[in-house]
Amino acid sequence: MNIIEVLNYEEMSTRAFKLIRERLQSNPALKLGLATGSTPIGTYKALIQSYEEGEISFEKVLSFNLDEYVGLEVTDVNSYRYFMEENLFKHIDIKKENTFVPTGKAKDFVKECAAYEELIAKSGGVDVQILGIGSNGHIGFNEPETSFNSLTHVVDLDKRTIEANSRFFHSINEVPNQAVTMGIGTIMKSKEIILLISGDNKNEAINQLLSGEITETFPASVLHQHPNVTVIINQESYLT
Ligand code: PGA
């Protein structure tokens, strides 16, 4: 695990952006795993600017998002499909049909989850997966005690996750209590992982990750078992 500590959010975003730019320039048909939340927004802004300046293109890129809330329409401002359109897709030349976000509306989630898993596998697998981390150590929406072997599945969200994400909703009661997420096993199949850590209440999670202990009670700890992980930590997170 390659750990990089930087002074602030901007520097974290720039470091992540430069890594992704490099991967994109050497492989224009990159399979990119994407995350939502506050953490990657700066990285997405830098990628958009780089695209506008003609440095990179997403024309051949396939993207796979980590997760989606159960029950939200794609047009819902809180859906992750909507988030991705607003914060990245509509600003770049990625083809809409090449962007994949798990569906939050399905009659048969078991089938949909298996199909998502197969879609990723058939594409050849994710080359670079961007991750954030929850204050409870979740990656994607894989909450504590999720099996390290899990594949794409429906999860009940942890109380801490619902509280943390309620900031985007009018009230905490509106936060869906379930989501669809790539499993930990799915994430671990990515060839490379970039974990970005920034934000309130992440101090404990950082310390736990850096302790090196590997346990299913702290999902991000699995990343110690992956051969190609870069962790970029915004040191300001230690202050909250
Ligand atoms: P955040 O969320 O980037 O909004 O802090 C990260 C996560 O919950 O995985």
Side-chain angles (χ1 to χ4, degrees), residues 50-229:
S50 177
Y51 160 71
E52 286 170 350
E53 288 166 4
E55 285 185 328
I56 51 173
S57 166
F58 295 81
E59 215 191 326
K60 297 185 178 146
V61 168
L62 295 192
S63 74
F64 298 95
N65 264 79
L66 284 168
D67 45 21
E68 179 60 283
Y69 286 117
V70 165
L72 298 192
E73 301 285 351
V74 292
T75 49
D76 190 301
V77 293
N78 281 307
S79 77
Y80 286 165
R81 162 59 74 179
Y82 189 91
F83 175 101
M84 289 312 305
E85 293 295 336
E86 289 301 306
N87 289 291
L88 185 63
F89 297 156
K90 78 176 190 189
H91 305 285
I92 57 176
D93 62 344
I94 197 162
K95 295 192 176 117
K96 176 131 189 170
E97 64 270 26
N98 288 344
T99 64
F100 302 100
V101 180
T103 179
K105 285 282 214 181
K107 282 208 181 89
D108 184 345
F109 274 105
V110 173
K111 204 169 135 196
E112 289 295 335
C113 289
Y116 197 66
E117 202 65 39
E118 200 179 320
L119 190 71
I120 298 170
K122 274 203 174 145
S123 79
V126 170
D127 295 308
V128 182
Q129 175 68 56
I130 302 168
L131 291 182
I133 187 171
S135 57
N136 62 2
H138 76 203
I139 48 175
F141 268 136
N142 294 286
E143 304 289 25
E145 307 302 346
T146 305
S147 164
F148 282 172
N149 298 319
S150 53
L151 300 177
T152 302
H153 63 298
V154 173
V155 295
D156 293 329
L157 296 176
D158 192 278
K159 194 166 159 272
R160 285 171 75 179
T161 302
I162 291 175
E163 272 164 18
N165 290 6
S166 66
R167 68 188 193 277
F168 298 111
F169 293 79
H170 295 302
S171 90
I172 195 162
N173 301 325
E174 282 180 26
V175 186
N177 48 28
Q178 286 192 314
V180 182
T181 183
M182 282 188 199
I184 294 179
T186 322
I187 293 169
M188 288 293 279
K189 284 186 219 165
S190 312
K191 297 176 187 79
E192 178 176 7
I193 292 172
I194 302 173
L195 170 63
L196 305 178
I197 308 185
S198 183
D200 293 348
N201 306 317
K202 301 282 170 81
N203 194 356
E204 203 185 307
I206 298 170
N207 290 334
Q208 198 156 345
L209 180 72
L210 298 188
S211 79
E213 188 196 351
I214 299 172
T215 163
E216 287 183 350
T217 61
F218 188 74
S221 67
V222 75
L223 300 175
H224 288 289
Q225 295 179 337
H226 191 284
N228 192 2
V229 178

